[in-house]
Amino acid sequence: MTKKRVFSGIQPTGTIHLGNYLGAVKNWVDSQERYENIFCVVNSHAITIKQDPKQLAQKTYELAAMLLACGIDTKKSSLFIQSQIDEHAALAWILDCNIPMGDMSRMTQFKDKSAKNPKNINVGLFNYPALMAADILLYQVDGVPVGEDQKQHLELTRDVAMRFNRDYGECFKIPEALIPKVGARVMGLDNPESKMSKSSSGANHAIFLLDTPEVIMTKFKKATTDSHNTIVFDTTRPGLYNLLSIYEIFTHKSRESIEEEFVGKGYGHLKTAIAEVVIESLRPIRETYKKLMNDQAYIKQILDEGAQKVRPIATSTYNKAKELVGLI
């Protein structure tokens, strides 16, 4: 049976934290047997915000190394850099010309990022969803793993694809959203009402994959909980629920067995247990990452091979879309 094809992209900005890992990257790694996966470092998306060119190039290699360290297997999946395949930007222009302004103006991420960067509200930031749609539609994928914050962009992708197919002829496969049931939304340790983020200034907000064991232990011990004395999965207690959800994902234990494990025990015991599990789970990732970063030529070779593997799919899709709209 032919595997369904799935596309995933991640920006090379900031450092991967536990939210990125549990909400996206770990699911990518775990899905490699089930799907034909195409993974992309979407560096073109990153320049909607001013970047230092040398730092962006270095961050791109660092992110690729981290994905490989996390378990992306290039024998099972394709990994490449977005800017290496020109059809991403070329198809985005065709889609731009077929997306109403009203649809773009309703995108909540544009509003959020504009508010955070009021001195750099550029056209690229506004058109970001068209490039995201091009990333997905180029590869004729069946599904896209997305977090709750990206569902709106995927709906726009589906809408523009269906409209294009209707107006010009069959060209794009309509992708479905793949949202993991557990770990899709990891919250900040210091503020469990807020999603874990790279941009938060709080020192104890996020666990980064390259944090030392000592730092990880300290951050978990300072994690926000509540004044109750029972340890159970309760969504009305967001701090505790977030910690237990993290523990659930790393240990693969059932919720019932986790609750039994902590009967009569306090938050201090829970936080130490979670920290120890996370530290040991991330240890091989940190060690592999360091080895990879000592051989950037190898990383470049992997990325070049990934681009060569997927380029024929992108070229075929773009040429079809180009022909259908009358470009020669």
Side-chain angles (χ1 to χ4, degrees):
M1 185 180 293
T2 303
K3 291 181 180 179
K4 289 187 175 182
R5 183 181 293 162
V6 168
F7 177 91
S8 302
I10 185 168
Q11 285 196 45
T13 53
T15 305
I16 289 186
H17 55 64
L18 213 56
N20 303 134
Y21 178 64
L22 297 182
V25 178
K26 188 175 185 297
N27 292 309
W28 298 357
V29 172
D30 294 343
S31 72
Q32 290 181 106
E33 296 295 340
R34 293 199 309 276
Y35 301 120
E36 176 194 344
N37 282 299
I38 296 176
F39 299 119
C40 181
V41 179
V42 289
N43 57 337
S44 296
H45 284 292
I47 63 172
T48 57
I49 296 172
K50 291 290 185 184
Q51 303 287 342
D52 176 273
K54 290 183 180 178
Q55 191 176 60
L56 176 59
Q58 180 62 18
K59 285 286 186 183
T60 299
Y61 283 117
E62 288 175 4
L63 177 57
M66 180 56 75
L67 294 176
L68 293 169
C70 287
I72 298 301
D73 184 347
T74 54
K75 293 179 181 178
K76 301 175 182 177
S77 307
S78 300
L79 175 64
F80 70 102
I81 298 173
Q82 180 187 28
S83 61
Q84 290 183 322
I85 296 182
D86 293 339
E87 284 83 357
H88 284 256
L91 181 59
W93 173 248
I94 292 176
L95 299 182
D96 265 333
C97 297
N98 287 277
I99 299 175
M101 284 284 288
D103 287 0
M104 285 291 206
S105 63
R106 283 191 289 272
M107 295 292 105
T108 55
Q109 280 212 342
F110 171 70
K111 297 172 184 176
D112 293 343
K113 290 186 177 182
S114 296
K116 291 177 182 177
N117 298 278
K119 294 182 180 179
N120 185 36
I121 304 174
N122 55 65
V123 176
L125 186 62
F126 185 75
N127 285 358
Y128 180 105
L131 181 56
M132 182 175 172
D135 297 336
I136 295 164
L137 298 177
L138 268 178
Y139 298 101
Q140 305 293 348
V141 300
D142 299 287
V144 183
V146 291
E148 290 292 337
D149 58 337
Q150 292 290 344
K151 282 181 68 177
Q152 189 186 36
H153 284 176
L154 185 60
E155 283 304 314
L156 180 75
T157 300
R158 288 169 50 83
D159 289 345
V160 69
M162 288 186 282
R163 197 159 50 233
F164 189 99
N165 289 350
R166 180 197 68 200
D167 294 345
Y168 297 103
E170 199 66 25
C171 183
F172 303 119
K173 183 172 282 191
I174 312 301
E176 298 291 334
L178 303 175
I179 301 175
K181 293 179 181 178
V182 180
R185 194 172 177 82
V186 178
M187 312 307 283
L189 297 185
D190 60 349
N191 179 10
E193 302 287 348
S194 173
K195 185 178 176 182
M196 191 173 285
S197 168
K198 299 174 185 176
S199 59
S200 175
S201 59
N204 299 307
H205 175 78
I207 300 291
F208 294 99
L209 268 57
L210 296 178
D211 279 345
T212 65
E214 294 76 19
V215 168
I216 292 172
M217 182 64 73
T218 297
K219 287 181 178 179
F220 271 115
K221 284 187 173 180
K222 293 182 177 180
T224 299
T225 49
D226 54 45
S227 58
H228 296 277
N229 57 11
T230 55
I231 296 176
V232 293
F233 284 86
D234 183 349
T235 55
T236 66
R237 298 163 65 185
L240 175 62
Y241 186 81
N242 187 45
L243 291 176
L244 287 174
S245 295
I246 293 170
Y247 191 69
E248 176 188 14
I249 297 167
F250 276 109
T251 62
H252 305 288
K253 295 178 180 179
S254 69
R255 294 192 168 189
E256 292 78 10
S257 66
I258 291 172
E259 290 178 351
E260 288 177 11
E261 181 180 345
F262 293 106
V263 168
K265 295 175 181 175
Y267 287 145
H269 185 94
L270 170 68
K271 291 176 178 180
T272 298
I274 297 172
E276 288 175 348
V277 167
V278 171
I279 288 166
E280 288 310 307
S281 297
L282 297 185
R283 190 184 303 279
I285 293 175
R286 289 194 302 273
E287 292 173 353
T288 303
Y289 172 83
K290 289 177 182 177
K291 290 178 183 177
L292 287 167
M293 286 306 296
N294 286 328
D295 189 359
Q296 290 198 34
Y298 172 74
I299 300 172
K300 185 178 186 303
Q301 178 188 336
I302 290 290
L303 295 170
D304 288 346
E305 289 173 355
Q308 290 172 17
K309 186 177 175 182
V310 301
R311 185 174 282 111
I313 308 170
T315 300
S316 174
T317 301
Y318 174 68
N319 285 343
K320 188 171 185 180
K322 179 181 173 182
E323 179 184 352
L324 285 169
V325 298
L327 298 178
I328 58 174

